[in-house]
Amino acid sequence: MSITISETREIDVGQIVALYKANKWSAAEKPHELKNALLNSHSLISAWDKERLIGIGNAISDGYLVVYYPHLLVHPDYQGQGVGRKIVSKLQENYKDFHMQMLTADGKSVEFYKKVGFEKAGETQSMWIYNGSEH
């Protein structure tokens, strides 16, 4: 298996939706909005197995101090093989000098993010108004 990490924004919406559906993310139900959200991110990193999109991560940022990583998905067939780690590594390379790198993690993703250097932010709690179904 040869995985390629890319910063391309030329990704077929069908492949994006298939990846989100494979991970049971409700954003797949809004393909137009999802594609626009990803394409308008500050950074967009994708992982490929030849022509197949197998992972994606994005960043929203002010460009100077703070970056937030809202999405990191790896196709279930490729999880546990270092794909997510490669995406996070590329994102952190882009934002290594930033004052704050933030994300929200739940379930089994908490342990993954700890392994790649994130830690619980003091006594903070994630809060949201959310119109999804997977949490």
Side-chain angles (χ1 to χ4, degrees):
M1 173 176 60
S2 177
I3 303 302
T4 303
I5 300 299
S6 175
E7 293 188 70
T8 185
R9 291 178 184 255
E10 306 225 357
I11 306 172
D12 177 71
V13 70
Q15 288 205 51
I16 293 170
V17 169
L19 178 62
Y20 278 71
K21 283 184 178 180
N23 282 282
K24 298 182 175 101
W25 277 40
S26 60
E29 298 166 14
K30 299 180 178 185
H32 178 73
E33 292 85 349
L34 174 59
K35 181 180 180 184
N36 284 335
L38 291 173
L39 295 181
N40 285 290
S41 297
H42 196 260
S43 290
L44 181 63
I45 308 298
S46 52
W48 301 84
D49 183 0
K50 298 181 180 73
E51 301 298 318
R52 181 182 183 194
L53 178 66
I54 60 165
I56 201 161
N58 71 323
I60 299 170
S61 178
D62 59 19
Y64 298 93
L65 286 173
V66 179
V67 60
Y68 176 71
Y69 305 119
H71 292 190
L72 175 62
L73 292 88
V74 174
H75 193 283
D77 293 347
Y78 292 84
Q79 291 177 4
Q81 299 178 38
V83 176
R85 185 178 291 272
K86 287 179 181 181
I87 294 170
V88 169
S89 177
K90 183 61 179 169
L91 286 166
Q92 288 186 311
E93 178 184 314
N94 292 351
Y95 299 102
K96 66 182 179 293
D97 295 325
F98 276 48
H99 181 68
M100 186 183 325
Q101 297 181 45
M102 303 171 57
L103 56 83
T104 300
D106 70 347
K108 64 183 180 179
S109 69
V110 172
E111 288 306 312
F112 167 78
Y113 285 116
K114 284 181 180 179
K115 287 179 186 176
V116 296
F118 287 85
E119 60 186 45
K120 187 174 182 296
E123 296 303 314
T124 62
Q125 291 186 15
S126 296
M127 301 178 79
W128 61 12
I129 297 172
Y130 181 65
N131 189 20
S133 59
E134 67 270 75
H135 298 282

